[in-house]
Amino acid sequence: MGSDSGRLDPKTRRPLPEGIRYRSDRNRYQVRVWATGLNGEDRERSFLVETLAEAKRLRADAKKQVRPDGATSLNAWHARYWATIEAGVRPATARGYDVAWRKRVKPWFGHRKLEAITVGEIEQAIGAWDGSASTRNDALSLLSRLLEGAARAGILEANVARLARRPKEDSPRSFRSRALTASEVVTMLEFVEDGPYRAYLAVLVFTGMRAGEASALRVGDVDLVGRVIHVRRSFSPGRGGELIEQSPKSHKERSVPLPEALVPYVRRGIEGKRRTDLVFTGPRGGRLSPSNVRRFVDWGALRSRLDRSDLRIHDLRHTLATLLFDAGAAANDVQAILGHSSMQVTERYSRARSDAAVRANGALDRLIGSAG
């Protein structure tokens, strides 16, 4: 067939509209669209469709709204957009995203065109990725940030990753079940030798601070007279694992209680120090972190003593929340102390629902008894 034959419709033998030609080798109509790309350059996109009507419709729609960079691969977009993501998250989060990209997102989607990625494929990937639900959620979060950036740049119409169902742990444990009881708190503190590590665990369990927040606590943050501690900063792992000082996770300062049981530890921690000195440090004055505390405390032996084989340092934060609720604290006060972004998270520590069956027993007994 001659070079001009593609300009004619094989069915009517009439000239095809501008931008449409017939590809006899593919038995399809080819639609070509020119548009301006993200860098301001003219870009051509071509599509193959089965009918002339479909070709005309696609041509008309493309003239209204063309996304010339939709064929960009996720690999190319990641290389271009990663710096924007990295600048907007904490170093520890960026490090987690690095792992998620290399091990999960890139192998599955890196070669794909941005516009070709679907919700179904994302959910299929989530099911195939290895690791815990938290690990797979990190990968989904990174993919969503990438696609959200593409949508904001006009490359995609929408971020389809937002529609994907997030993975859940197969056997989740409630926050309350992870928390220590009051007697277990006493056992834990007695097990740890008196000194900086016991003091550090005490401040975690009695204030509900995150580990990085307790490590970054400075003398000027402590109000012994008012019996409160002001949480103003946190130590977080950097890209290379080093500890860097940042604002708290919520990016908002808050105040936590300084109960009488914690006062002796705090007094020893601030004695003879300047306002800018750290309150809790290691035996040689170094910064404390969950890893070195677990190592020096013999965390395995402590778990055995408490008969809690999966006890984590973060569970001490859960412990304060449950103790506060059990002591009758209001939910909004617990939320403020822990720095939760939503009341929904805070209420997971309450016994309100877990005790529903017990309360129902009492109500039924009274009802049946009065009817007897």
Side-chain angles (χ1 to χ4, degrees):
M1 186 176 289
S3 59
D4 293 332
S5 61
R7 305 294 183 184
L8 299 176
D9 185 349
K11 297 180 180 179
T12 64
R13 305 306 300 173
R14 295 179 180 177
L16 290 168
E18 181 68 25
I20 301 176
R21 62 177 299 176
Y22 184 75
R23 291 282 301 273
S24 58
D25 60 328
R26 305 291 292 276
N27 195 27
R28 295 287 192 277
Y29 292 91
Q30 183 181 49
V31 183
R32 290 182 174 177
V33 179
W34 286 87
T36 302
L38 291 176
N39 294 326
E41 79 285 6
D42 286 338
R43 296 277 303 279
E44 181 188 80
R45 297 290 310 279
S46 65
F47 308 86
L48 292 173
V49 296
E50 294 187 359
T51 67
L52 178 58
E54 189 177 358
K56 288 180 177 180
R57 185 167 56 252
L58 179 60
R59 175 77 172 161
D61 290 343
K63 284 183 177 180
K64 296 177 184 178
Q65 186 177 29
V66 177
R67 301 182 189 277
D69 291 292
T72 301
S73 71
L74 188 66
N75 276 333
W77 179 244
H78 175 270
R80 177 172 184 169
Y81 192 67
W82 170 246
T84 302
I85 294 178
E86 186 179 25
V89 299
R90 292 174 177 267
T93 302
R95 190 172 66 244
Y97 281 169
D98 273 344
V99 175
W101 171 253
R102 294 195 313 271
K103 292 189 174 182
R104 295 171 184 86
V105 180
K106 181 179 180 179
W108 198 280
F109 294 109
H111 64 288
R112 298 294 305 282
K113 296 178 181 179
L114 292 173
E115 63 186 6
I117 299 174
T118 66
V119 178
E121 290 173 331
I122 294 173
E123 291 185 342
Q124 183 182 4
I126 292 170
W129 285 335
D130 62 351
S132 66
S134 176
T135 298
R136 288 178 284 140
N137 270 320
D138 283 347
L140 175 59
S141 178
L142 170 62
L143 177 60
S144 183
R145 283 180 180 269
L146 288 167
L147 297 185
E148 184 69 24
R152 289 177 180 274
I155 299 175
L156 297 175
E157 183 176 352
N159 171 15
V160 296
R162 285 191 170 192
L163 303 177
R165 289 172 292 186
R166 298 178 66 84
K168 297 181 180 180
E169 293 287 359
D170 294 334
S171 302
R173 288 188 58 187
S174 71
F175 290 162
R176 287 198 68 94
S177 67
R178 298 207 65 95
L180 299 179
T181 64
S183 61
E184 287 174 329
V185 169
V186 174
T187 300
M188 176 190 71
L189 295 179
E190 289 178 346
F191 174 85
V192 180
E193 181 182 349
D194 190 24
Y197 301 115
R198 181 194 285 184
Y200 183 71
L201 294 178
V203 75
L204 293 179
V205 77
F206 289 133
T207 68
M209 284 193 287
R210 299 175 179 91
E213 294 169 345
S215 301
L217 185 67
R218 299 190 184 277
V219 174
D221 302 325
V222 177
D223 181 358
L224 282 172
V225 177
R227 296 277 299 277
V228 294
I229 293 174
H230 303 290
V231 182
R232 295 171 172 145
R233 60 190 64 80
S234 176
F235 284 144
S236 300
R239 294 295 300 277
E242 74 284 4
L243 291 178
I244 60 175
E245 186 175 302
Q246 295 181 311
S247 62
K249 186 176 180 180
S250 62
H251 300 292
K252 295 180 180 179
E253 296 183 8
R254 68 184 193 280
S255 297
V256 297
L258 177 50
E260 187 62 39
L262 184 60
V263 171
Y265 296 105
V266 173
R267 286 192 184 278
R268 275 183 283 173
I270 67 177
E271 187 177 1
K273 293 181 178 178
R274 299 169 299 178
R275 287 182 54 82
T276 55
D277 290 339
L278 296 175
V279 177
F280 300 104
T281 59
R284 299 180 180 178
R287 296 178 180 179
L288 291 171
S289 68
S291 59
N292 60 35
V293 170
R294 286 194 300 268
R295 184 167 61 253
F296 286 103
V297 164
D298 191 349
W299 199 252
L302 176 58
R303 284 174 165 176
S304 297
R305 178 67 175 273
L306 294 171
D307 194 21
R308 287 177 173 264
S309 60
D310 61 349
L311 179 69
R312 308 167 304 178
I313 283 183
H314 191 70
D315 292 335
L316 302 184
R317 177 170 160 82
H318 298 326
T319 297
L320 179 77
T322 59
L323 292 178
L324 286 173
F325 268 119
D326 292 348
N332 58 338
D333 287 341
V334 178
Q335 179 187 12
I337 290 169
L338 294 182
H340 287 155
S341 58
S342 71
M343 182 64 73
Q344 190 174 21
V345 175
T346 305
E347 288 181 340
R348 294 180 185 179
Y349 297 95
S350 173
R351 288 188 185 272
R353 293 185 178 179
S354 62
D355 287 352
V358 176
R359 294 195 300 275
N361 277 336
L364 287 171
D365 289 344
R366 289 192 296 274
L367 176 64
I368 295 172
S370 64

